[in-house]
Amino acid sequence: MSHDKPPSIIVFDVNETLLDITTLEPLFDRVFGDRAVLREWFAQLILYSQTMTLSGLYTPFGELGVGSLRMVASIHGVSVADGDIDELKKRMSAMPAHADAVPALSRLRDAGFRLVTLTNSASASSPTPLERAGIGGFFEQSFSVESVRRFKPAPETYRLVAEQLGVETSDLCLVACHLWDTIGAQAAGCRGALVTRPHNAILPAAEVPVPDVIASELTDLADQLVQRWR
């Protein structure tokens, strides 16, 4: 894929990249007695979403999230009540934006980039999680992998965005705090920009694509994108 021209569209991952999943910690602290189990649950959720795609199967991300919670609870020998599931769903739909999201999005919008999102989560009726977080207005469109029934980092998910916008994947730059996401985007012909929030880092190994831009927070990442391509 040619990268002779700079990308004109920034595609944002949503969960953890824009929205703060640490607001789920009180649930895990109460149920497991350890808020750090949040990371174990999230890792299992991503693992099994990718497993379903590799196996040619599909279950909506939210259902996998509930199932992963029950699985982790079984591993830890604790019980999960229906009220706990309801709390998980409620917290997932009301996660706030990270403090650096609005300044970064404003910087990119003012620089002339088109902004969209791509998430593993199912599409939602208004008010969406992005709208509840106060950042929905920055994006011209929000895409969900549910339409291709494959989870990121499958190449079909990134091609979906390009096809729907009538552009090439080389016109896209994916911003995410998960290296597996930027790897998938770059393999599909997009650029990749990694924000290294806590618990995320690059993988120094042969043939692993290095993101085009790397920063510890979104504001710095936005400045780098503008300086490099605007």
Side-chain angles (χ1 to χ4, degrees):
M1 184 67 67
S2 173
H3 278 169
D4 293 338
K5 63 178 180 178
S8 58
I9 302 170
I10 308 298
V11 184
F12 277 87
D13 170 56
V14 175
N15 297 321
E16 194 171 15
T17 300
L18 290 172
L19 302 183
D20 186 1
I21 70 169
T22 64
T23 55
L24 305 180
E25 286 180 345
L27 168 63
F28 288 85
D29 191 22
R30 181 175 58 77
V31 173
F32 296 92
D34 183 0
R35 61 183 54 216
V37 176
L38 164 65
R39 294 293 166 180
E40 179 184 348
W41 165 79
F42 192 66
Q44 295 281 24
L45 172 56
I46 297 303
L47 170 63
Y48 283 98
S49 69
Q50 295 174 356
T51 299
M52 293 293 283
T53 292
L54 288 170
S55 303
L57 304 171
Y58 179 78
T59 297
F61 199 61
E63 293 183 31
L64 286 177
V66 170
S68 296
L69 180 63
R70 294 191 184 280
M71 181 178 69
V72 172
S74 178
I75 291 170
H76 285 263
V78 302
S79 299
V80 172
D82 290 343
D84 301 323
I85 300 300
D86 292 340
E87 182 180 346
L88 174 67
K89 294 177 179 178
K90 182 177 180 180
R91 288 183 178 274
M92 284 288 290
S93 67
M95 294 184 292
H98 284 286
D100 56 2
V102 169
L105 294 171
S106 299
R107 177 85 166 100
L108 293 169
R109 180 185 60 187
D110 293 347
F113 284 107
R114 297 170 64 186
L115 307 179
V116 302
T117 64
L118 173 63
T119 180
N120 277 334
S121 299
S123 55
S125 57
S126 186
T128 66
L130 290 172
E131 289 171 341
R132 290 193 182 97
I135 58 175
F138 283 100
F139 304 102
E140 63 176 77
Q141 289 192 59
S142 293
F143 297 96
S144 168
V145 304
E146 65 184 349
S147 60
V148 293
R149 296 175 64 85
R150 295 175 68 81
F151 292 107
K152 295 188 290 177
E156 295 89 341
T157 61
Y158 310 103
R159 292 172 188 157
L160 163 71
V161 178
E163 291 168 2
Q164 290 294 311
L165 295 177
V167 300
E168 301 294 330
T169 54
S170 57
D171 292 308
L172 309 178
C173 176
L174 180 89
V175 172
C177 67
H178 310 115
L179 190 70
W180 54 261
D181 206 350
T182 60
I183 289 173
Q186 289 175 274
C190 310
R191 307 289 180 87
L194 179 71
V195 55
T196 57
R197 297 203 185 283
H199 307 284
N200 298 285
I202 63 170
L203 174 60
E207 305 303 324
V208 175
V210 177
D212 297 276
V213 177
I214 303 172
S216 61
E217 58 181 25
L218 279 177
T219 47
D220 183 22
L221 194 79
D223 286 340
Q224 290 190 50
L225 292 174
V226 171
Q227 292 167 10
R228 180 164 183 165
W229 289 315
R230 278 294 182 268

